[in-house]
Amino acid sequence: MATLVERAHELRPLIEEQAAAAEQERRLAVPVVGALTDAGLMSMCTPAAYGGAETDPVTLIEAIEAVAIGDGAAGWCSMIASTTSSMAAFLPAETAQTIYGDPQIVTGGVFAPNGVGAAIERNGVTGFAVTGQWAWGSGTQHCQWVLGGARCDDGTFRLCWFPQDDVDFHDTWHTGGMRGSGSLDYSVSDAFAPASYTMQPGVTPPVVDTPLSRFPNFTLLAAGVSAVGLGVGRHALDELNDLAQGKRPQYSSRTLAQNSFTQIELARAEAKLRSARAFLLDELDGAWATIAEGAAVTIEQRTSIRLAATHAATVGATVADAAFTLAGGTAVYDTSVLGRCLRDAHVVTQHIQTAPKLNEKIGQLLLGQDTDISMF
């Protein structure tokens, strides 16, 4: 049976074929959503107790990267849905089985506490009436369950799961990059979330205690976001390589591949991308080994992973920039894959978990300074 990473690579032709349509429609094409779901690439972190793959972080990153090589938006949606599925471990078992027990169900949403919840009882069930609107709802239009963070009047911060019928979607996703991810705004109004369909981040202990449930959630998310950047960067360099074999710039008798400047800059870009990828995977592997030994991931390890993830996101954009520039005027047309890679790569660096400004906090930790690590 093919591994998740192998399945992701096998889907590349379909993902590439549908990428232009996803950009046009500003959401993933239905065939791609179906193929990713069938391949288990939208729920890679679902606990084995509920029939999921319970994927280790290294495999997760390699699989997301492989999807993103085909199309950054597809990799982004696979990343969001899969990291969201890791939350299944913190829900009551019956709820988790209902939402995550069916491999055809996809979940997604936003952690940010943009909702407000009022503790109430409806039909004998205790829960919260939630109202709020969230931005960056990547792939939520193809999710059967959508979650959102809410501050509740009992003094708690909760992630709340809502069936899609309770969710309104807003046509806000008009962007430069990641157009195909469908990361529009969504909202709920007085939607009832039973208490059993909520959990408190950092407070609720895992119901299913596994190595993956003990891996820091934000660290996993940051690594996943950066994996998209690595995939986009890889796609850009592959596209440049293919283009360079035959393209002869105006007034030149040599192809791009025969041009010394192209050769030098491509070599540098390859070194940057491969190094960033190796750094990230090495740090994840070390942290996973720590958990396998029964210990907790240390703050030093979390810092190193966040450094590697932020660096990988930056490098993904850097090499996409280089490929775009080396390709010349060909790249500026809407039909150019390199144009899409350029735009998508720069969305990765805007994510709160991989933005360059995180280097300040990472530097503080490396220097032994006190700083807020609640999002680490």
Side-chain angles (χ1 to χ4, degrees), residues 315-329:
V315 168
T318 298
V319 301
D321 285 350
F324 181 90
T325 301
L326 290 168

Side-chain angles (χ1 to χ4, degrees), residues 303 359-371:
T303 300
N359 283 307
E360 178 183 7
K361 187 176 293 292
I362 293 167
Q364 289 168 347
L365 290 167
L366 291 173
L367 290 165
Q369 302 296 301
D370 291 332
T371 189

Side-chain angles (χ1 to χ4, degrees), residues 145-198:
W145 289 87
V146 180
L147 62 83
R151 297 198 181 279
C152 300
D153 62 2
D154 64 351
T156 61
F157 164 52
R158 294 175 181 269
L159 292 183
C160 306
W161 275 253
F162 307 102
Q164 194 193 69
D165 288 346
D166 288 352
V167 180
D168 293 316
F169 299 101
H170 307 279
D171 188 16
T172 56
W173 192 241
H174 298 271
T175 64
M178 290 294 173
R179 295 173 187 167
S181 68
S183 301
L184 41 56
D185 287 16
Y186 64 94
S187 64
V188 297
S189 179
D190 195 38
F192 182 61
S196 60
Y197 281 71
T198 74

Side-chain angles (χ1 to χ4, degrees), residues 40-47 50 52-55 60 78-91 96 99-100 105-108 147 161 212 220:
L41 294 164
M42 295 293 235
S43 56
M44 290 186 275
C45 297
T46 299
Y50 307 123
E54 201 175 296
T55 309
L60 176 71
S78 173
M79 174 270 297
I80 291 292
S82 288
T83 53
T84 300
S85 70
S86 70
M87 296 291 98
F90 298 88
L91 289 170
I99 297 176
Y100 292 99
I105 289 179
V106 179
T107 63
L147 62 83
W161 275 253
L212 190 59
L220 188 70

Side-chain angles (χ1 to χ4, degrees), residues 209-348:
D209 187 17
T210 67
L212 190 59
S213 71
R214 295 193 293 274
F215 199 88
N217 297 122
F218 284 127
T219 302
L220 188 70
L221 175 60
V225 174
S226 70
V228 179
L230 290 173
V232 172
R234 176 77 271 149
H235 193 175
L237 294 186
D238 288 349
E239 186 70 17
L240 174 65
N241 199 320
D242 289 344
L243 177 68
Q245 304 308 317
K247 179 177 178 178
R248 285 182 170 82
Q250 196 169 20
Y251 309 118
S252 175
S253 62
R254 296 182 299 173
T255 65
L256 282 177
Q258 294 169 327
N259 181 282
S260 60
F261 183 68
T262 304
Q263 295 161 356
I264 292 168
E265 293 304 304
L266 177 61
R268 288 174 173 169
E270 277 285 351
K272 290 175 184 176
L273 189 65
R274 295 188 198 188
S275 298
R277 183 180 190 272
F279 180 22
L280 178 64
L281 294 179
D282 185 60
E283 293 299 334
L284 287 169
D285 189 57
W288 191 243
T290 295
I291 288 181
E293 294 168 357
V297 176
T298 66
I299 185 58
E300 290 79 14
Q301 288 174 311
R302 287 154 64 189
T303 300
S304 292
I305 294 170
R306 299 307 296 274
L307 175 62
T310 302
H311 177 62
T314 299
V315 168
T318 298
V319 301
D321 285 350
F324 181 90
T325 301
L326 290 168
T330 303
V332 306
Y333 290 90
D334 283 344
T335 53
S336 169
V337 170
L338 287 171
R340 185 168 69 244
C341 289
L342 178 76
R343 297 191 303 273
D344 289 352
H346 281 279
V347 174
V348 177

